Amino acid sequence: MFQYEFMQRAFLAGGLIALIAPILGIYLVLRRQSFMSDTLSHVSMAGVALGTVIHVEPVLSGFLFAILGGLLIEQLRRTYKTYSEVPVAIIMTSGLALAMVLMSMKASLSKSFSSYLFGSIVAVSRTQLIIIAAVTLIGLAFFVLLRRPLYAMTFEEDTAAVSGVPVKLMSFAFAVMTGMIVAAAMPIVGVLLVSSLIVLPSALALRFARGFASAALLAVIAGMTGVFSGLTASYYTDTPPGGTIALILLVFLLGGIAIQRAAKMLGIWKAGDVSASGVPQSRKRQSNQTIHKRSY
Amino acid sequence: MPLCTMRNIVFGYDQEPVIRDFSADFHKGEFIAISGPNGAAKTTLLKLLLGIAKPWSGTVHWSADMKRGSVAYVPQQVASFNPGFPSKVIELVKSGCYPGLGLFRPFHSRQHALVEEVLKEVGLWELRDRKIGELSGGQKQRVCIARAMAQQPDLLVLDEPVTGMDAANRASLYQWLHGTVKSQGRSVVMVTHNLHEAEPYLDRVIYLEGKEACEHVSI
């Protein structure tokens, strides 16, 4: 299949997104913002529609809308502190409604929109590939260089702010990064499934990883395996690439949950061996002894 | 010269203020407790002190000596953090050193020794490779305090730090905090309901009773 240039591009684009999207997913899941990627993909679709209507490059307008949507969610998250899911619902429905209205203004839009809705990784253009590569590089730089403040604010925002992390600025930068990655990932799996590429690998990794770096690594491995095997399966079975990738990632997650449960039942898995009191049964005696030894 | 001065603070969440005309000084080398009945705005006072909440009126003034990262905070609910947070005990406590290290400076033997010391102090060195979600409530609380101490702050602010701890651990914690205040010159401000237990180790108590009454007791 690699004799076809479109498949080479598809693997390259998919590999790049599978490198950055699961890392973003780790932070989104831990910050309880898993639906942010879904929301921003809907907002981005409105941007694509607007771009088409006003004759601006749709990829660019979709990108811009995703970033603006991210910033708006972050601002509303600060307004609705108690109900943090409210801004997500507001922005998602607004994005979708705007996209529908704009689509109705141009009849020819409906056809090309299916590629945005369901993805068309095998039709990734050279421009899109360059955008994906640029976003991946910027994303990697963002997550590597700012890993310490990101870790601190993901653990707890108030303690991070008190210790000197510019939490507000970092949160807005994170929202911009999320918008960029979502917009870049859209051609791979489409608007409807973009969160599968971001959330599913990280959800799997968080079940097994014992450290932050290992969670990111595991999520990337799961994401890449899912994308590459999904593209291969899609090529040979003639199924839509986006849906195939999402289903494979879902199978990975379900498989991971099943393996973990089986390991717990067989007594192999110690990590989740937590009693009602929160103290792991297998080490309760040891921890009690430790308390008596503490010196303070 | 106090580390921090609060003057004529007024603050509320709705129309009605919960703190009215509050003033206090926080000095270097003091172990201060903030106490009072439920709803007396103890946590709110800490948030105002730390700049997490902005007062309606009044001022919070920090000494110029207080640099970025010289205050560490352990909130009330921090021990109920996401049980799936992917970190071992030692990784989380190490992150307490980040403010001192900035973005890029690597860990040296000094930081490793500090992390080992604070983990031993809170009795969790043996559990350093345990995932934090696997710890009990009291152990999580101690990890968070160890993390704050790894920051080597001039001022340590703790909101109900003994939640989930047994009596022996509570007494040991108060003793340790008292020791760091006296031997290392740190300041500790702590919200607590267990005033009778903490009292022997304290320098001062700020007792909040309702919206207006506020009593400073030197011990």
Side-chain angles (χ1 to χ4, degrees):
Chain A
M1 64 183 164
F2 287 112
Q3 70 267 32
Y4 299 110
E5 200 188 334
F6 69 86
M7 283 309 288
Q8 291 171 15
R9 267 192 203 156
F11 267 79
L12 192 54
L16 286 167
I17 282 299
L19 186 62
I20 195 67
I23 299 176
L24 169 71
I26 295 279
Y27 288 101
L28 284 176
V29 170
L30 291 173
R31 284 165 61 90
R32 299 177 199 275
Q33 291 182 301
S34 299
F35 270 104
M36 190 166 170
S37 51
D38 228 3
T39 304
L40 293 184
S41 64
H42 285 77
V43 173
S44 181
M45 190 168 71
V48 169
L50 183 67
T52 313
V53 169
I54 63 169
H55 305 293
V56 171
E57 175 58 51
V59 176
L60 199 68
S61 54
F63 222 82
L64 202 66
F65 262 59
I67 291 171
L68 289 175
L71 291 171
L72 201 56
I73 288 178
E74 184 54 34
Q75 185 55 47
L76 287 174
R77 190 173 75 92
R78 292 178 177 277
T79 310
Y80 290 93
K81 271 188 176 170
T82 319
Y83 305 103
S84 58
E85 71 282 7
V86 171
V88 173
I90 294 171
I91 308 280
M92 187 190 275
T93 47
S94 309
L96 198 56
L98 186 61
M100 284 168 69
V101 170
L102 289 168
M103 277 168 69
S104 70
M105 289 178 181
K106 206 159 186 173
S108 61
L109 266 174
S110 305
K111 275 187 183 175
S112 62
F113 255 86
S114 69
S115 69
Y116 283 102
L117 284 176
F118 304 109
S120 57
I121 189 172
V122 289
V124 166
S125 67
R126 191 177 155 74
T127 314
Q128 282 173 320
L129 192 58
I130 290 170
I131 289 174
I132 290 170
V135 168
T136 305
L137 277 176
I138 294 168
L140 282 176
F142 179 81
F143 289 118
V144 171
L145 298 178
L146 300 176
R147 65 188 185 284
R148 286 179 178 174
L150 280 170
Y151 178 94
M153 65 182 246
T154 303
F155 177 68
E156 219 282 321
E157 283 198 1
D158 282 347
T159 52
V162 169
S163 69
V165 174
V167 169
K168 196 172 176 185
L169 182 68
M170 286 285 301
S171 293
F172 278 110
F174 179 77
V176 169
M177 204 63 250
T178 306
M180 286 169 69
I181 293 172
V182 166
M186 270 173 57
I188 317 285
V189 281
V191 169
L192 299 179
L193 295 171
V194 77
S195 64
S196 67
L197 206 54
I198 293 172
V199 175
L200 292 180
S202 51
L204 174 69
L206 287 171
R207 295 192 78 86
F208 289 96
R210 296 183 68 80
F212 214 90
S214 58
L217 184 66
L218 201 56
V220 169
I221 291 170
M224 284 211 169
T225 314
V227 167
F228 292 151
S229 52
L231 278 174
T232 308
S234 156
Y235 178 82
Y236 287 110
T237 58
D238 200 22
T239 49
T244 313
I245 291 169
L247 277 178
I248 286 179
L249 289 171
L250 182 66
V251 168
F252 284 177
L253 178 63
L254 295 176
I257 294 170
I259 289 168
Q260 203 179 39
R261 289 206 171 164
K264 270 184 202 173
M265 281 169 68
L266 294 170
I268 304 165
W269 186 261
K270 291 277 198 304
D273 179 19
V274 178
S275 70
S277 66
V279 180
Q281 295 289 348
S282 55
R283 300 184 187 177
K284 210 164 189 174
R285 176 181 291 234
Q286 184 194 334
S287 60
N288 285 343
Q289 285 168 346
T290 310
I291 287 171
H292 292 302
K293 271 195 248 168
R294 57 141 182 51
S295 57
Y296 278 114
Chain B
M1 177 77 181
L3 291 177
C4 181
T5 306
M6 297 178 90
R7 285 286 174 271
N8 309 111
I9 298 291
V10 180
F11 179 79
Y13 291 101
D14 211 343
Q15 300 285 325
E16 189 73 8
V18 291
I19 291 177
R20 192 173 290 168
D21 203 26
F22 176 85
S23 296
D25 291 335
F26 299 89
H27 293 273
K28 190 175 164 64
E30 266 192 322
F31 189 0
I32 302 168
I34 298 173
S35 196
N38 287 331
K42 302 183 290 295
T43 298
T44 303
L45 185 63
L46 284 193
K47 288 185 174 177
L48 288 161
L49 170 72
L50 296 169
I52 297 168
K54 302 284 175 219
W56 289 357
S57 64
T59 56
V60 180
H61 179 75
W62 287 91
S63 154
D65 296 340
M66 296 293 279
K67 294 180 195 117
R68 189 166 165 259
S70 56
V71 182
Y73 173 45
V74 181
Q76 198 173 3
Q77 298 300 326
V78 76
S80 62
F81 48 65
N82 184 349
F85 196 82
S87 271
K88 291 178 185 174
V89 167
I90 194 159
E91 186 180 3
L92 186 68
V93 175
K94 271 183 168 181
S95 73
C97 301
Y98 289 167
L101 291 170
L103 289 180
F104 308 115
R105 253 179 294 157
F107 277 79
H108 289 297
S109 51
R110 193 170 146 260
Q111 282 82 29
H112 289 295
L114 175 66
V115 168
E116 184 177 341
E117 185 195 322
V118 291
L119 272 173
K120 282 180 176 167
E121 289 288 359
V122 297
L124 292 174
W125 176 246
E126 304 298 322
L127 305 182
R128 62 191 178 278
D129 289 324
R130 187 82 67 86
K131 200 173 168 182
I132 52 171
E134 298 167 17
L135 302 178
S136 69
Q139 287 170 333
K140 283 177 184 171
Q141 197 70 33
R142 283 147 62 197
V143 171
C144 293
I145 294 166
R147 180 178 184 248
M149 288 303 278
Q151 194 180 319
Q152 293 204 290
D154 291 331
L155 173 63
L156 177 62
V157 180
L158 306 159
D159 194 352
E160 300 278 8
V162 295
T163 307
M165 289 187 200
D166 58 34
N169 276 301
R170 289 198 297 271
S172 300
L173 176 66
Y174 296 140
Q175 205 174 340
W176 180 44
L177 291 173
H178 179 259
T180 60
V181 167
K182 297 304 160 199
S183 64
Q184 295 168 27
R186 293 189 205 291
S187 305
V188 176
V189 176
M190 169 182 79
V191 165
T192 185
H193 279 293
N194 299 65
L195 205 50
H196 60 287
E197 284 183 0
E199 216 159 6
Y201 306 99
L202 299 170
D203 294 306
R204 194 151 57 96
V205 177
I206 296 173
Y207 195 83
L208 299 174
E209 197 165 14
K211 290 164 197 165
E212 289 176 66
C214 162
E215 191 185 354
H216 294 249
V217 184
S218 291
I219 296 168

